[in-house]
């Protein structure tokens, strides 16, 4: 489908007005704290000539070289060999390299001034300068006369110091190359914490030389060597990103306890756990041997991670053994531990003592928040803003994750509008300071290394803006416009979130000719993790190669059709016309898409949805046409029965649902109402 | 454009006839020497249960595991964790691992028998078994009832023992990851020699610990460490692929001589050479120090490559210094070397002595073929079949490359029909034995790591078939049908040849909405390396990010439009109708594509072509319509002037040319003739 006939093309539109009035915000995400548009543009006739008048170390030099290479590629510029020998002046003025180990107190601020003559970045640290460079890259824009950077003055610093992405490498292993490209993407949108979820019931991915069975038995051979870890930590450091490892305990430990059954509370797994969901096995918190093991193990592996924080998980530990195992019951009684929560708090206290002796700060999910624990732990809230606020009132630092679960398959707008500190917060200023920011978790039940990018990006960029930009930045339309631009920047960085969708369609259809399938796929979205899990009873060995794996979370069709319908209802007949042709284009693609789906074992279950789609597009076309012409649709029984299809169509089939039913309802109601 | 409305979709068509009559040859490339279709199919309800009754070593086990994983992914099967616990029986019966160092005499034959109950592969070596596994993978086909493998009996072995791909990593460096995925692709189409072109005027890419300046000064920091080399050699060995390194001498050595000027014949480069084309600098063949250096260097680096052959290049050495440098002139006189050719032959003899002492066989381009050299060298012919035959008559072994230059941007059909030993050969049987096979060279002037796959694949698969399958296999239509299927197999292996085109269009148009651009791009092809070089005066620092870099060599539009026009002229009105709608679809895409091209600095120069395209599609639509209806186009002056556009349109603009002008000429002539 040629959506351009309907949809405003950001840059094509732009290019005709540039450079006269280069849109300074076009490609910026996150939006800076303060941006003043200058007059004119810096024309990019040749690559940059860089000066670093103050501090410059190897990390900064490498970051500058990477940034300039990206601008050369984006702006069609010659790469002048070794060093940088262009003529466009770029001054990167940095006070000092910054902290040897990046912390929450790293100064991330920067200023960027672009005039018709040169670009100047000023920062107190390498990290600040890197963010300045990312902003510079995002400002590059095409004009019919060539590429330019609009004149601007930017003073920028983040709202929250903790802006994280968590990737679950336990349930499905992700190669280092995948993690690297996602770290590149994080840096591009100014995220600064990679939360590395390394152990799970389904796999223990972190090499221990003291306890080789952890990966030897617990990983299917899919794990990160200590060399891999050092390499990734250095890669992240070079991009201003901290790496916080998560080692789940006492629950989510089936792979661990399969390798070392002597640590189990009673129930011993006879294999790596293939099924998903909360498991009953747990590390035994009552035996001293447990803490001897943990001290040795944590001493070995935490040394690989310079960051101050170690995440111990701590969530979802029903541990029936703790209620049934006589030895454990006796221990609870002897230590006045009234229930499992108290026993887990005891365990956490013991682990905290070990981590503290290793000069590490402990972090965990909501469950670790119990009065027994001191105030210097950090709580990651999967329960939500209220639970986070409660922690802050109790004096605990925390970060928000609940509204940012990417496997919920929610819209970028939903994520975008969820604020760690809502406008109406009742927290005191001091309590608010304890809310460090947020993290978007990418859980791994339904991932493979091909699909993961499209599940994270570009939606995570909207979350990155929420965590960086001022609270007042909440314009969803502007966010979606800029999200498309950033999405392309990420592709140029090597992310495959746009390409993998087409590749999957080709693989299922067994042909390169997927234009119609692409059109159809654009009006579907995957159901949430939970819905799919129920529908498909997935486990670690399930192949993720179906239509649901090809369709994107929050494709543009929802936001665009909402926009167009609103305009159409405001008597914008052009918008009505665009909608009419859009429905017609979709309808036109249905017959051939059906043929391809019938022939594909992975797509046959989608066919019922296409029968609904025929009716829905017919409805939409008729409704849009009547509004375009100012006529009224006669609401006869045929029309009514067709309208009922909208209700039926809301039910997911083949684990996908339509994106445009709300806007279609609005449209059809309006077409009959008058 | 929705080409499916016009083009038969191989698998969609297939699926309705399967499994009753599974098309055994559908996905096979190269075609086996002998294939007999059985009755029924092996249904893939679960993954394989493998037995290896005879020899099995780690290499074979790993190859089986990789192959089964690919089938699981292709056929929507659960991966049953460690080992292989499926129910579909697969027996891999191998006599012995084969040679410790794979040579031209490795037994590559295999047999494959598939029945309704099981699949059996029999081979004398691991390599033969690997080819059997590749054939098994290519036989997997979808049906509405699920994936199947048709019952077949295959007895297969290659026509030529040398089936190579050369990648030039000198002019532009290619990361190890790019080489690995191309080696995967080679294995999938049963190629067995990776010719690694490692040194050039523009870069010396092979690390020497004895002579660190070679890469320290000669590579811009872009080179292969000795660890990289070992890793890649092992990776290729695991896939039955030999690695032949090429170290160019005495010419193509500017980077080398920039690092070690004391080896130069006189002229000394003051930098790595950025411009392309034949260079004047050359290693000095007259000084003993040269051979001291070469002995040390070759002793060090050839030890990294187990293969029997070392390629010394030896081409394009005008070496004016050899005509002007008095010292060199004196040397020639003293040694009765009448001209530069004689001097180079002297040099080759000295290098040969070194290589022989290292137990290596020497290989080079045509120029090394001089009577001074013994018969155990191998000549790689860039001059063509005649030159190759002449060598064979003189008693030299050789391989053909001239007709297989991928940067010539020729069609797969052109490559396919070029035979190292043509039907009409006058060579004796013994002389024919000296023709070992062929190699397709991918020269690096206009490559980057994003575009390289689309320049090599899928065309190289047609060459692989020429070198493997019987001489009688020459059906171009069948080749193109199977090429599309193999192209998708390569994408599933991780090749980006399909994805990179869209990514480039998005990057130039600055939007995800490239449907119309994609339609337009599908009727263009890049001009040859030579034409582009002249038009753009490219050098190593030129960015390769324009429309010409986005369009594919030999896109389907040429072959398809030729086919359709032929059918249409044979009164197949359906074909005429398909052509008519095809031209209409292209015409429909032009206005918006123009708008996007005007806005894109990288595409503006293509605009004149789109004005021509409007006229051409109008011509095509009219002509096809008249033939469809059996009417005649009145050949008035307006029509004539439009027809003249075809001639003008043959001239390339913006380094791209149309793919469908021959078929359009046929069509329009026919429409006016009657």
């Amino acid at each position: 489908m040629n959506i351009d006939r309907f949809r405003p093309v950001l840059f094509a539109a732009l290019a005709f007005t540039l450079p006269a009035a280069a849109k300074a915000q076009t490609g910026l995400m996150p939006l800076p704290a303060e941006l003043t548009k200058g007059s004119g543009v810096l024309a990019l006739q040749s690559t940059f000539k860089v000066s670093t008048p103050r501090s410059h170390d190897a990390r900064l030099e490498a970051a500058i070289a990477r940034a300039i290479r990206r601008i050369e590629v984006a702006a069609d510029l010659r790469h002048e060999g070794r060093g940088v020998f262009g003529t466009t002046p770029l001054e990167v003025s940095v006070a000092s390299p910054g902290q040897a180990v990046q912390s929450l107190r790293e100064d991330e601020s920067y200023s960027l001034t672009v005039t018709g003559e040169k670009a100047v970045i000023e920062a107190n640290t390498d990290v600040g300068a890197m963010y300045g460079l990312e902003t510079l890259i995002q400002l590059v824009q095409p004009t019919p006369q060539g590429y330019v950077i609009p004149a601007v003055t930017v003073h920028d610093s983040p709202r929250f110091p903790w802006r994280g992405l968590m990737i679950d490498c336990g349930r499905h292993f992700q190669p280092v190359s995948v993690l690297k490209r996602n770290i590149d993407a994080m840096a591009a949108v100014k995220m600064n914490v990679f939360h590395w979820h390394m152990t799970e019931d389904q796999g223990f991915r972190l090499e221990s030389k003291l306890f080789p069975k952890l990966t030897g038995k617990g990983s299917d051979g899919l794990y990160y060597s200590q060399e891999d870890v050092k390499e990734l930590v250095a890669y992240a450091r070079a991009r201003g990103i901290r790496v916080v490892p998560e080692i789940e305990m006492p629950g989510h430990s089936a792979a661990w306890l399969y390798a070392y059954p002597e640590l189990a509370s009673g129930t011993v797994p006879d294999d790596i756990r293939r099924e998903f969901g909360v498991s009953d096995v747990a590390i035994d918190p009552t035996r001293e041997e447990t803490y001897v093991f943990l001290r040795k193990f944590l001493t070995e592996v935490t040394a690989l991670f310079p960051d101050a924080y170690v995440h111990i998980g701590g969530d979802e530990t029903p541990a029936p053994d703790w209620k049934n195992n006589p030895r454990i019951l006796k221990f609870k009684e002897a230590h006045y531990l009234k229930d499992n929560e108290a026993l887990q708090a005891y365990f956490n206290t013991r682990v905290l003592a070990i981590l503290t002796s290793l000069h590490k700060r402990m972090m965990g999910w909501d469950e670790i928040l119990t009065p027994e624990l001191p105030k210097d732990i950090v709580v990651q809230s999967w329960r939500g803003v209220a639970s986070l606020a409660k922690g802050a009132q109790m004096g605990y630092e925390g970060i928000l994750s609940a509204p940012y679960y990417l496997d919920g398959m929610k819209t970028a707008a939903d994520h975008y509008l969820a604020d760690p500190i809502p406008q109406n917060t009742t927290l005191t200023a001091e309590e608010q300071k304890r809310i460090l920011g947020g993290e978007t978790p990418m859980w791994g039940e339904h991932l493979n290394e091909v699909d993961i990018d499209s599940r994270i990006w570009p939606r995570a960029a909207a979350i990155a803006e929420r965590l960086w930009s001022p609270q007042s930045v909440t314009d969803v339309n502007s966010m979606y416009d800029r999200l498309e631009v950033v999405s392309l920047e990420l592709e140029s960085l090597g992310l495959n979130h746009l390409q993998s969708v087409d590749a999957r369609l080709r693989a299922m259809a067994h042909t390169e000719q997927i234009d119609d399938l692409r059109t159809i796929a654009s009006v579907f979205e995957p159901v949430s993790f939970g819905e799919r899990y129920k529908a498909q009873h997935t486990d670690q060995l399930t192949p993720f190669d179906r239509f649901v794996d090809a369709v994107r979370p929050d494709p543009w069709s929802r936001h665009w059709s909402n926009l167009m319908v609103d305009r159409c209802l405001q008597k914008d007949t052009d918008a009505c016309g665009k909608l009419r042709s859009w429905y017609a284009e979709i309808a036109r693609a249905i017959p051939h898409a059906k043929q391809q789906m019938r022939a594909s074992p992975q797509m046959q279950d989608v066919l019922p949805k296409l029968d609904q789609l025929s009716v829905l597009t017919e409805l939409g076309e008729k409704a849009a046409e009547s509004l375009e012409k100012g006529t009224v649709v006669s609401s006869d029984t045929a029309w009514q029965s067709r309208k009922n299809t909208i209700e039926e169509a809301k039910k997911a089939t083949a684990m996908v649902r339509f994106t445009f039913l709300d806007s279609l309802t609005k449209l059809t109601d309006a077409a009959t109402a008058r």
Side-chain angles (χ1 to χ4, degrees), chain A:
Chain A
M1 173 185 50
N2 168 10
I3 194 59
D4 275 336
R5 294 213 191 76
F6 323 118
R7 186 180 183 198
V9 181
L10 199 52
F11 264 112
L14 236 185
F16 294 109
T17 60
L18 280 166
K23 300 234 175 72
Q25 298 194 338
T26 301
L28 294 186
M29 182 168 281
L31 283 178
E34 199 187 314
L35 180 147
T36 321
K37 175 131 182 33
S39 66
V41 299
L42 180 64
L44 295 173
Q45 260 103 34
S46 107
T47 188
F48 285 98
K49 181 174 185 49
V50 182
S51 60
T52 50
R54 294 195 290 166
S55 157
H56 53 89
D57 60 355
R59 179 168 71 149
L60 181 62
E61 301 291 346
I64 292 171
R66 284 197 308 271
I68 286 175
R69 189 77 196 105
R70 281 164 63 194
I71 291 178
E72 288 166 350
V73 168
D76 190 27
L77 300 172
R78 281 173 64 84
H79 170 60
E80 297 296 350
R82 280 155 301 191
V84 178
F85 304 127
T87 60
T88 313
L90 169 62
E91 184 180 311
V92 184
S93 175
V94 176
S96 87
Q99 301 177 316
V101 174
Q102 190 174 327
S103 83
L104 287 164
R105 285 172 305 286
E106 182 80 288
D107 184 339
E108 301 183 295
S109 67
Y110 71 93
S111 296
L112 167 66
T113 313
V114 179
T115 66
E117 291 66 47
K118 63 175 181 174
V120 178
I121 292 170
E122 289 170 294
N124 291 326
T125 64
D126 287 354
V127 173
M130 290 185 208
Y131 292 141
L133 289 164
E134 294 292 348
T135 301
L136 187 71
I137 292 167
Q138 291 190 335
L139 282 168
V140 173
Q141 294 168 21
T143 79
Q145 294 74 44
Y147 285 88
V148 303
I149 300 178
V152 288
T153 306
V154 172
H155 298 292
D156 200 9
S157 61
R159 179 177 167 210
F160 293 106
W162 192 301
R163 306 176 304 279
L165 168 65
M166 187 209 83
I167 296 182
D168 170 6
C169 301
R171 290 175 175 85
H172 286 102
F173 178 75
Q174 295 294 341
V176 170
S177 58
V178 171
L179 301 183
K180 281 183 174 176
R181 70 184 187 225
N182 277 280
I183 283 172
D184 290 336
M186 288 173 67
V189 294
K190 301 184 173 70
M191 294 176 116
N192 66 353
V193 180
F194 172 56
H195 172 169
W196 198 352
H197 188 86
M198 303 184 91
T199 73
E200 260 306 338
D201 290 325
Q202 291 77 16
F204 198 101
R205 311 298 182 189
L206 171 58
E207 179 189 36
S208 163
K209 295 186 189 294
L210 295 178
F211 303 102
K213 281 189 286 179
L214 286 171
T215 52
K217 291 187 70 180
S219 77
D220 297 309
L222 298 170
Y223 65 92
Y224 305 102
S225 71
Q226 298 197 351
E227 279 315 303
D228 291 336
V229 171
K230 287 176 198 154
E231 184 186 343
L232 198 77
V233 166
Y235 191 88
R237 159 88 185 164
R239 286 151 182 81
I241 290 172
R242 300 165 40 210
V243 178
V244 175
E246 178 176 356
I247 298 154
E248 276 260 18
M249 60 185 85
H252 289 273
S253 51
W256 184 329
L257 297 177
Y258 170 61
Y260 291 92
E262 58 270 34
L263 299 178
S265 297
T267 318
V268 170
D270 58 3
D271 190 2
I272 291 171
R273 186 158 186 255
R274 303 302 174 184
E275 57 275 20
F276 299 136
V278 176
S279 132
D280 282 349
V281 303
I283 291 172
D284 187 340
T286 67
R287 298 170 63 242
E288 280 310 306
E289 294 83 346
T290 296
Y291 302 105
V292 174
F293 182 107
L294 286 177
R295 173 171 295 281
K296 287 187 190 157
F297 171 71
L298 289 172
T299 304
E300 178 193 13
V301 298
T302 60
L304 300 168
F305 299 91
D307 199 77
Y309 292 85
V310 172
H311 200 302
I312 64 153
D315 58 318
E316 298 179 326
T317 312
D321 289 332
W322 297 1
K323 300 197 179 96
N324 309 327
N325 182 328
R327 185 168 45 74
I328 294 180
L329 288 170
K330 192 172 300 147
F331 182 93
K332 285 161 81 174
E333 200 180 327
H335 293 71
Y336 309 103
L337 301 167
K338 64 179 191 320
D339 54 20
N340 278 10
E341 288 60 39
L343 182 54
Q344 186 168 352
Y346 166 84
F347 174 81
N348 291 341
T349 316
R350 295 293 303 269
V351 173
L352 176 65
I354 295 171
L355 289 175
T356 307
S357 72
L358 298 170
H359 312 293
K360 295 292 188 182
R361 290 184 63 179
M362 188 166 94
M363 180 168 184
W365 300 95
D366 276 318
E367 288 92 329
I368 71 162
L369 201 164
T370 52
E372 291 79 359
L373 289 188
K375 297 287 183 284
D376 65 350
I377 65 165
V378 169
V379 177
Q380 178 164 20
S381 178
W382 61 267
R383 289 185 180 146
V385 173
S387 151
L388 183 69
K390 184 163 152 297
Q393 283 162 336
M394 291 165 61
Y396 291 95
E397 291 182 326
I399 60 172
L400 183 66
S401 280
Y404 305 137
Y405 275 42
L406 293 165
D407 63 0
M409 301 297 175
K410 289 185 285 186
T411 67
D414 290 339
H415 294 310
Y416 188 61
L417 297 176
D419 197 313
I421 307 177
Q423 297 279 6
N424 60 7
T425 183
T426 59
L427 295 179
T428 67
E430 193 187 353
E431 289 162 349
Q432 291 187 31
K433 278 207 201 68
R434 300 195 185 114
I435 294 176
L436 304 175
E439 263 189 19
T440 175
M442 181 73 260
W443 293 109
E445 279 88 345
H446 297 158
L447 292 183
N448 60 39
E449 62 188 88
V450 175
D451 297 335
I452 182 171
D453 292 5
S454 70
R455 273 47 195 150
I456 300 177
W457 307 103
R459 289 182 302 158
I463 297 166
E465 174 156 293
R466 171 57 45 234
L467 297 173
W468 176 283
S469 302
Q471 181 164 33
S472 58
V473 174
T474 53
D475 178 340
V476 167
N477 293 340
S478 157
M479 180 274 285
Y480 273 112
D481 282 348
R482 291 177 290 111
L483 198 61
E484 177 178 2
V485 184
V486 169
S487 186
L488 296 169
E489 181 192 1
L490 298 182
E491 179 168 52
S492 72
L493 265 170
L495 281 288
N496 76 355
H497 58 299
L498 300 177
Q499 300 170 19
S500 62
V501 172
D502 281 0
R504 174 79 56 200
L505 291 176
R506 282 187 287 262
M508 292 187 298
H510 301 281
T511 172
E512 281 183 34
Q513 312 306 326
I514 54 165
D515 301 53
D516 290 322
L517 278 176
R518 193 188 286 114
T519 300
I520 298 301
S522 70
V523 297
F524 285 103
E525 65 188 351
V527 296
S528 73
F529 154 69
E531 291 170 275
R532 180 177 189 172
Y533 178 65
K534 281 194 209 70
Q536 201 181 1
H537 305 294
T538 54
D539 66 27
Q540 187 184 32
L541 306 180
T542 306
F544 298 109
D545 60 354
R546 309 188 71 79
F547 189 71
V548 59
D549 300 298
V551 301
R552 289 197 220 168
D554 195 24
W556 55 264
S557 54
R558 171 186 280 100
H559 177 64
W560 180 82
S561 63
N562 287 334
L563 260 183
M564 283 299 131
V565 166
D566 290 348
R567 290 192 195 158
C568 176
L569 298 199
Q570 289 149 28
K571 307 266 177 293
D572 174 344
T573 55
D574 178 55
C576 306
K578 284 178 171 173
L579 280 164
R580 180 178 40 71
S581 344
W582 181 59
Y583 294 119
E585 279 276 349
I586 299 167
R588 182 159 170 259
I590 293 175
H592 177 250
K594 271 185 169 176
Q595 181 200 9
Q596 291 186 301
M597 286 180 169
R598 262 192 303 271
S600 167
Q602 292 104 313
M603 292 195 287
Q604 286 165 354
D605 57 357
V606 187
L607 282 165
K609 271 295 186 218
L610 266 63
D611 295 328
Q612 293 175 338
L613 190 55
S614 305
V615 181
L616 298 172
T617 48
E618 191 190 343
L619 270 172
E621 215 178 324
K622 277 224 168 70
E625 187 180 12
S626 76
L627 288 160
E628 188 179 9
K629 298 184 178 163
T631 63
V632 179
V633 175
S634 66
S635 182
D636 55 21
T637 52
W639 174 261
Q640 276 312 325
S641 73
R642 282 208 221 86
K643 272 199 72 177
N644 299 337
T645 311
I646 300 181
E647 274 315 305
E648 300 155 25
K650 284 179 179 167
K651 205 171 141 300
T653 310
M655 299 169 290
V656 294
R657 64 173 88 257
F658 291 112
T659 57
F660 63 97
L661 296 182
D662 294 348
S663 58
L664 181 61
T665 306
K666 253 184 163 179
L667 189 74
T668 47
D669 291 349
T672 39
R674 295 150 309 139

